[in-house]
Amino acid sequence: MTKKAISLFFSCLISGLTVFAQDSLSVVKWDLQTCLDYARKNNIQVSSARLSQQTSQQELILSRGSALPNLYGSATQYVNHYHNDAVYGSGNYGLSSSWTLYQGGYIKSDIQQKNVAVERANLSILQQLNDLTLQITQYYLNILLDKETIIYQQNVVATSQAQVEQAKKRLQAGSIAQKDVAQLLAQLANDKYTLVTAESAQRQDLISLKQLLQLSATTFDVITPDTIISKKAVDNLLNVQQTALKDRPEVKNGELYVRSAEFALQKANSGYLPTLTASGFAGSGYQGAGSGYFNQLNNGFNQQVGLSLSIPIFTRKVNQVNRAEAKINIDQAKLSLKDTKTTLALTIEKAYINVLNSQNQYDAAAEAFRYNQETYRVANEQLKVGIVNMVDFLQQKSLYTQALQQYIQAKYNAALTIEIYEFYKGTPVKL
């Protein structure tokens, strides 16, 4: 291989590795709506619920098919060997069919029950989507909280670094004690630790969101919206509860559960009633030792139709137990529906209280942050000219940092509680 060829080979290799590295470092950035749309298509729990719905649909098809007649074909071929070494063929061919004309209403009730099962499966998908929406919204806002915390903490670290540099110059000039510089260095280290903790929290929340989205190898980040709504008028609690109890899929699913149990009782009652079945058969056969093959088939062709009536007289308590268990299941379904409604109503009430409290906390945190920010600014100016005690300054800085963290936390907590409460009344999540 010539030097030119070798040079060209390594050039292409390096170019390819560079492109690969650029692709691997490319970051996918999504807003909340993109995350929701992607998760609805790819989340495993939602996909599993869709597969369950397809199974319910197949069960419905099977139930409807039980109301139709069946038809089976049969063919049997023999080879007969006799003691005189004679070999003859023989065979039988036929078609048979049966049709359940009446089964005490069992088939009709079963079809209705399977229809309800399909509806419940559809509602289960909606439930999964609702739960997924709230989870993604929470993680999304957590990441935004982490991002803002990191920005503020970077500013705190930068300020602390500048304070240390200034203190070192003053130490050289003899206008500050070594102890004061050491205290500022300790504060800088603590501020860096807080920044690293915030960055770690962001990475963990991004991993949790990627898990919900079923993203694995992709380098992923979220888009920060222009505004975060932390203050909003709160709708009347009773109106939201009434809307949710009427429209939420878990309530509708519970109501259908009661209906399904009632159809199961109808099926159990059908066990006390007779079953009427129609049947038919058409077929023929031949023996090789007789006249011609087709003549035998023609002469032996026979048809048979009949009706069969089965009347339950004594079933060893089977029907009695089936009926009793069906009634118990109805009561159980009604209790489950009542519990679902109660839980939902209390959950909404809790969301209502949370949104009121979080907005009040946000107002208080914003006010405290403004005052501590101004006090810290003054203390920082005093530090520059050396007219503030180091202990007092560090205490004021600690109060400022706490107020900052409380403000950011309250801001995003208020935004989350608003989204949750709005979601219960049917408003789509939108940042």
Side-chain angles (χ1 to χ4, degrees):
M1 184 180 289
T2 65
K3 292 183 178 180
K4 183 177 182 181
I6 294 173
S7 176
L8 179 62
F9 170 77
F10 279 105
S11 176
C12 293
L13 178 62
I14 294 172
S15 177
L17 291 174
T18 302
V19 172
F20 175 78
Q22 290 175 347
D23 290 341
S24 63
L25 293 175
S26 61
V27 179
V28 176
K29 300 190 72 172
W30 288 351
D31 59 13
L32 177 59
Q33 190 58 51
T34 304
C35 291
L36 293 174
D37 292 340
Y38 184 87
R40 286 164 184 161
K41 295 179 181 178
N42 297 278
N43 181 264
I44 289 180
Q45 285 74 23
V46 175
S47 298
S48 178
R50 290 195 178 100
L51 292 176
S52 297
Q53 189 273 346
Q54 294 176 22
T55 300
S56 299
Q57 189 69 46
Q58 295 303 313
E59 293 292 334
L60 174 60
I61 293 173
L62 183 63
S63 179
R64 288 172 175 170
S66 64
L68 303 174
N70 60 27
L71 179 64
Y72 290 92
S74 62
T76 305
Q77 187 69 39
Y78 298 98
V79 176
N80 305 304
H81 177 258
Y82 296 92
H83 67 280
N84 60 357
D85 288 333
V87 178
Y88 302 101
S90 63
N92 296 297
Y93 316 102
L95 292 173
S96 61
S97 176
S98 65
W99 187 8
T100 302
L101 301 177
Y102 179 73
Q103 199 178 356
Y106 180 94
I107 295 177
K108 179 182 178 181
S109 297
D110 188 62
I111 293 173
Q112 292 173 321
Q113 188 180 39
K114 295 299 190 298
N115 265 315
V116 169
V118 172
E119 293 182 52
R120 292 192 65 198
N122 290 329
L123 290 171
S124 294
I125 295 175
L126 293 179
Q127 285 181 250
Q128 288 285 350
L129 289 173
N130 284 345
D131 294 341
L132 183 63
T133 297
L134 291 180
Q135 291 176 30
I136 289 177
T137 303
Q138 181 171 358
Y139 279 121
Y140 196 97
L141 284 170
N142 284 346
I143 295 170
L144 296 182
L145 165 63
D146 299 332
K147 284 178 172 293
E148 188 161 340
T149 301
I150 289 171
I151 292 173
Y152 277 109
Q153 196 59 37
Q154 286 173 339
N155 292 333
V156 170
V157 170
T159 302
S160 296
Q161 186 69 53
Q163 291 166 352
V164 168
E165 296 300 326
Q166 182 185 22
K168 287 181 178 179
K169 293 178 181 179
R170 293 180 60 198
L171 177 64
Q172 293 176 354
S175 61
I176 191 173
Q178 179 68 43
K179 180 186 68 172
D180 293 336
V181 177
Q183 288 177 325
L184 287 175
L185 285 169
Q187 184 62 49
L188 174 60
N190 184 69
D191 292 339
K192 289 181 177 179
Y193 177 83
T194 304
L195 175 59
V196 171
T197 302
E199 291 172 341
S200 176
Q202 180 185 355
R203 287 192 290 268
Q204 292 296 328
D205 287 333
L206 279 170
I207 290 174
S208 298
L209 181 56
K210 286 173 65 177
Q211 185 174 4
L212 286 176
L213 299 176
Q214 304 304 319
L215 294 173
S216 55
T218 306
T219 305
F220 174 75
D221 201 357
V222 302
I223 297 175
T224 302
D226 295 333
T227 57
I228 295 293
I229 300 177
S230 300
K231 289 286 292 182
K232 192 172 184 180
V234 182
D235 288 352
N236 180 269
L237 172 61
L238 183 59
N239 292 339
V240 176
Q241 286 177 326
Q242 290 176 343
T243 300
L245 290 174
K246 181 181 65 174
D247 298 334
R248 292 284 293 187
E250 56 264 43
V251 176
K252 293 182 178 180
N253 204 335
E255 292 170 347
L256 289 177
Y257 182 26
V258 175
R259 287 185 59 192
S260 179
E262 291 171 346
F263 287 132
L265 176 60
Q266 294 178 15
K267 290 165 62 175
N269 289 334
S270 68
Y272 290 98
L273 301 175
T275 299
L276 180 63
T277 305
S279 61
F281 174 80
S284 184
Y286 81 99
Q287 292 286 338
S291 58
Y293 175 76
F294 290 104
N295 286 334
Q296 287 190 57
L297 291 180
N298 182 56
N299 293 333
F301 182 63
N302 67 93
Q303 308 89 41
Q304 177 184 344
V305 294
L307 292 175
S308 175
L309 182 64
S310 174
I311 303 174
I313 297 175
F314 181 67
T315 60
R316 295 179 294 183
K317 303 293 184 179
V318 171
N319 289 333
Q320 179 181 342
V321 171
N322 288 342
R323 190 169 185 271
E325 288 182 346
K327 287 184 176 180
I328 293 172
N329 288 336
I330 290 175
D331 293 336
Q332 185 66 48
K334 290 180 178 178
L335 285 176
S336 179
L337 174 60
K338 182 178 179 181
D339 180 64
T340 298
K341 289 182 176 180
T342 302
T343 301
L344 179 59
L346 293 177
T347 301
I348 295 173
E349 184 175 357
K350 182 179 179 180
Y352 175 77
I353 294 173
N354 286 342
V355 74
L356 292 179
N357 290 341
S358 64
Q359 292 196 66
N360 290 333
Q361 289 172 348
Y362 171 70
D363 290 338
E367 184 176 7
F369 174 63
R370 286 195 300 270
Y371 290 139
N372 279 281
Q373 185 179 37
E374 176 61 21
T375 305
Y376 175 61
R377 186 193 65 79
V378 173
N380 196 34
E381 294 297 326
Q382 292 175 338
L383 179 67
K384 291 179 181 179
V385 296
I387 61 172
V388 64
N389 181 275
M390 186 59 65
V391 174
D392 293 338
F393 170 77
L394 292 176
Q395 182 180 10
Q396 185 55 53
K397 182 174 183 178
S398 177
L399 291 174
Y400 164 75
T401 303
Q402 292 176 11
L404 171 62
Q405 294 172 345
Q406 289 174 354
Y407 166 71
I408 299 174
Q409 184 70 47
K411 174 182 176 180
Y412 285 96
N413 184 55
L416 177 62
T417 57
I418 290 173
E419 293 296 338
I420 292 175
Y421 188 65
E422 293 280 311
F423 189 69
Y424 278 119
K425 73 172 187 178
T427 304
V429 171
K430 186 177 180 181
L431 293 180

